[in-house]
Amino acid sequence: MKISVIIPAFNEAEAVADVVRRILELHPDFEVIVVDDGSTDGTGEAARGAGALVWRHPYNIGNGAAVKTGIRMASGDYVVLMDGDGQHDPADISRLLAEADRYDLVVGARSARSQASLGRRLANWVYNRLASYVARFPVRDLTSGFRVFHRRTVLPYLPLFPNTFSYPTTSTLAYLRSGRTVGYVPIEAARRRGKSKISVVRDGARFLLIILRIATLFSPLRVFLPVSAFFFCTGLGYYLYTFWTTHHFTNMSALLLSTSVMVFLLGLVSEQITQLRYDRLAE
């Protein structure tokens, strides 16, 4: 089976050549594609000099856009995605590929000590818990960019991938929601070379909003139902309070209870639309 390794890179000249050389030393028959996402530091030239096929975006579009470009270019039966900053060990590629026959998507799950800071460890823990609730499946590392796909299974999902850093989140939930299998392989991630493009403060809230958006896209009832339950319990509690104190059923109680019913029905309709849409993607 032919293997394509895709490395999205933006200003990673310091590390990307070493990553490419290490991959080709271990797997000389692999196709290595570096998508230079509008770098200004010679990333593309460094990767090409190390032996990679390089495609350059004329300007910076985003990590997810680079991934989509690489997948479309790839000719392999399996697609390996990894970062070009030196965090991912090319020696782990074979460990992920060993599980690719069993799962549609294999993810390199980083250990807690591999996280760059306490803030990121806490943020990733929150993301994993939320994704596990939405998917009804234990998600061990939602944001890991080290993963292996069957290329034929990932192509239908490419229009759903955002152009930003959240393609790992989208791909994981898309596969789980469509009934495809996801497996995890424990890995140790090294400290990146160069400066990170992700800010915990700036991007943390954006990632949380993206997860909520994706949750409503893939499993809306898991989002709408708790909101409906909140309004219902609040309305019922307020009604009991006003009945006990004034013996009245107030307009506020009626509004809260009516809102809970409308939110529940909206979630139910959204769930049916989502099911029809992703059943077609899974075919």
Side-chain angles (χ1 to χ4, degrees):
M1 303 291 280
K2 188 173 182 179
I3 310 298
S4 297
V5 180
I6 297 169
I7 304 174
F10 174 62
N11 289 342
E12 301 290 359
E14 183 178 342
V16 69
D18 290 340
V19 173
V20 171
R21 276 193 291 266
R22 178 63 172 154
I23 294 171
L24 292 175
E25 287 173 2
L26 293 169
H27 308 285
D29 57 333
F30 281 11
E31 177 184 57
V32 180
I33 300 172
V34 173
V35 181
D36 180 1
D37 191 32
S39 300
T40 58
D41 66 346
T43 292
E45 291 77 9
R48 187 177 289 109
L53 302 173
V54 177
W55 180 271
R56 176 176 169 80
H57 287 165
Y59 52 88
N60 179 245
I61 306 175
N63 182 260
V67 166
K68 289 188 282 188
T69 296
I71 292 175
R72 292 187 184 107
M73 289 180 59
S75 60
D77 301 291
Y78 291 96
V79 172
V80 180
L81 296 178
M82 61 186 300
D83 294 341
D85 55 14
Q87 289 192 81
H88 300 148
D89 186 354
D92 287 328
I93 293 176
S94 58
R95 298 177 56 230
L96 269 65
L97 286 172
E99 300 296 319
D101 286 335
R102 299 177 56 202
Y103 301 100
D104 295 308
L105 166 62
V106 182
V107 181
R110 299 162 294 180
S111 66
R113 61 179 174 269
S114 295
Q115 305 298 319
S117 64
L118 178 62
R120 287 197 178 181
R121 286 198 295 270
L122 179 60
N124 284 332
W125 182 85
V126 172
Y127 300 153
N128 292 341
R129 298 287 77 73
L130 180 57
S132 298
Y133 166 75
V134 171
R136 302 183 186 182
F137 179 85
V139 176
R140 292 172 55 186
D141 194 343
L142 183 66
T143 59
S144 173
F146 196 7
R147 47 190 60 211
V148 174
F149 299 94
H150 290 68
R151 185 175 181 274
R152 62 176 175 79
T153 65
V154 73
L155 286 175
Y157 299 108
L158 287 189
L160 301 177
F161 285 14
N163 289 337
T164 57
F165 282 100
S166 62
Y167 83 87
T169 301
T170 306
S171 61
T172 298
L173 293 180
Y175 269 58
L176 291 172
R177 183 64 178 82
S178 299
R180 297 197 177 275
T181 55
V182 177
Y184 290 92
V185 173
I187 64 168
E188 294 294 330
R191 187 174 295 274
R192 78 174 333 282
R193 299 189 205 176
K195 185 177 180 181
S196 175
K197 312 299 187 302
I198 300 177
S199 167
V200 174
V201 176
R202 183 187 68 243
D203 295 322
R206 181 171 60 86
F207 277 150
L208 188 59
L209 289 175
I210 286 171
I211 292 173
L212 289 174
R213 177 180 62 81
I214 293 171
T216 56
L217 179 64
F218 290 111
S219 191
L221 201 57
R222 299 287 284 176
V223 177
F224 283 96
L225 192 58
V227 175
S228 174
F230 169 78
F231 280 112
F232 179 80
C233 292
T234 303
L236 182 61
Y238 190 70
Y239 164 65
L240 293 175
Y241 168 76
T242 56
F243 181 80
W244 179 264
T245 56
T246 64
H247 301 288
H248 285 93
F249 179 70
T250 64
N251 291 337
M252 181 58 69
S253 298
L255 176 62
L256 290 170
L257 292 172
S258 298
T259 300
S260 74
V261 174
M262 288 187 289
V263 170
F264 172 75
L265 293 176
L266 182 61
L268 198 61
V269 172
S270 299
E271 186 78 15
Q272 299 304 314
I273 295 173
T274 299
Q275 186 65 48
L276 291 173
R277 181 179 183 181
Y278 291 103
D279 280 350
R280 285 196 287 269
L281 280 178
E283 294 175 356

